[in-house]
Amino acid sequence: MNNFEIKKLTPDLSKDYFDFFDNRAFSDGSPFAPCFCNAFNLSKERMKVELYQKAEEYGNGFDGWVKALRESAERMVAAGEIQGYLVFDNGVSVGWCNANERLNYYRTGEFDLRTPPEDEEATNCSGRGQVKAIVCFEIAPDYRGKGIASMLLERICEDAKAEGFKYVEAYPVKDGGYMGMAFTGPMHMYEKVGFKVVEQKGEAYVMRKELV
């Protein structure tokens, strides 16, 4: 029987974070690789400077792109910009969920929704500390189907409530829908724990759970 441990990401867990993404997250040849889950927090300008220009400096191609992505993510983890939770099995990182203050994200759901995070009208937030957002789940292939995503979701909701947030928000597509957004988590997982659809943006549904 697995005894999974969930830890909130801190700079001290940087080694475990990159060990997961380098060695297990996409070991099945997933089309989402390479990824270090940093794009959600990057403005257009930062993407241009930290990713595209750096990749060009490194000679472009796959290797140049991976190096630029990784270096950007290393800085962001060290600075606490990337937030979320790692799942461990006997000390080995096997799962990840990116969860953060909604107004820290430049995009949620589909990547072409590049809403400035402080645009409260567009994000339907009434200020910081109101909405905790979940933008990505990634579970190592050998650990899928074991309920890890649901465990992460429960922990996020518990912590968000303790931290004073009013809502937890997520951006799934309909079950069986566009698989290019499978990383957002299945719609039925959110429905089971009381999330409700409040809006639709492109392929994604904005779902919220009120924390009472």
Side-chain angles (χ1 to χ4, degrees):
M1 182 176 178
N2 296 101
N3 186 20
F4 299 118
E5 182 179 11
I6 298 175
K7 295 182 181 181
K8 187 176 289 189
L9 178 65
T10 63
D12 290 343
L13 294 177
S14 176
K15 182 178 179 180
D16 300 289
Y17 182 83
F18 289 102
D19 176 49
F20 172 67
F21 281 100
D22 287 338
N23 298 304
R24 281 175 294 284
F26 309 113
S27 58
D28 59 347
S30 168
F32 296 127
C35 178
F36 298 101
C37 217
N38 49 336
F40 299 104
N41 297 83
L42 290 173
S43 65
K44 291 181 181 179
E45 182 59 30
R46 284 187 68 183
M47 290 186 78
K48 178 181 177 181
V49 173
E50 294 186 23
L51 303 185
Y52 299 115
Q53 289 182 2
K54 279 293 183 181
E56 186 174 357
E57 289 178 20
Y58 295 141
N60 285 319
F62 181 80
D63 291 342
W65 180 245
V66 172
K67 187 174 182 181
L69 273 173
R70 200 180 199 284
E71 286 186 356
S72 172
E74 286 171 350
R75 289 191 294 271
M76 294 175 74
V77 171
E81 291 183 82
I82 297 175
Q83 296 181 23
Y85 296 80
L86 287 166
V87 180
F88 292 83
D89 181 21
N90 293 315
V92 177
S93 50
V94 299
W96 159 250
C97 182
N98 191 323
N100 206 331
E101 156 71 58
R102 171 64 185 89
L103 296 179
N104 286 345
Y105 289 124
Y106 279 85
R107 58 191 57 79
T108 56
E110 295 178 289
F111 279 101
D112 61 350
L113 298 175
R114 302 188 177 189
T115 303
E118 295 297 348
D119 186 341
E120 295 181 2
E121 182 177 350
T123 56
N124 197 21
C125 296
S126 58
R128 289 188 169 272
Q130 302 297 305
V131 181
K132 175 78 75 170
I134 299 170
V135 296
C136 182
F137 287 94
E138 189 60 52
I139 311 298
D142 291 345
Y143 286 83
R144 293 171 192 163
K146 299 181 183 294
I148 290 177
S150 294
M151 290 171 53
L152 282 163
L153 182 57
E154 180 180 0
R155 171 67 180 273
I156 291 164
C157 290
E158 289 175 354
D159 284 1
K161 183 176 181 179
E163 292 162 6
F165 285 89
K166 292 184 177 179
Y167 303 96
V168 177
E169 188 170 277
Y171 315 93
V173 296
K174 281 187 176 181
D175 291 342
Y178 176 46
M179 291 308 295
M181 287 177 59
F183 60 85
T184 59
M187 198 168 187
H188 70 269
M189 177 179 71
Y190 297 110
E191 290 173 332
K192 283 183 178 178
V193 294
F195 280 72
K196 307 292 185 183
V197 173
V198 296
E199 191 178 359
Q200 183 175 0
K201 292 185 176 181
E203 294 281 350
Y205 288 83
V206 180
M207 300 187 73
R208 279 188 175 181
K209 177 181 174 70
E210 185 174 3
L211 302 173
V212 293

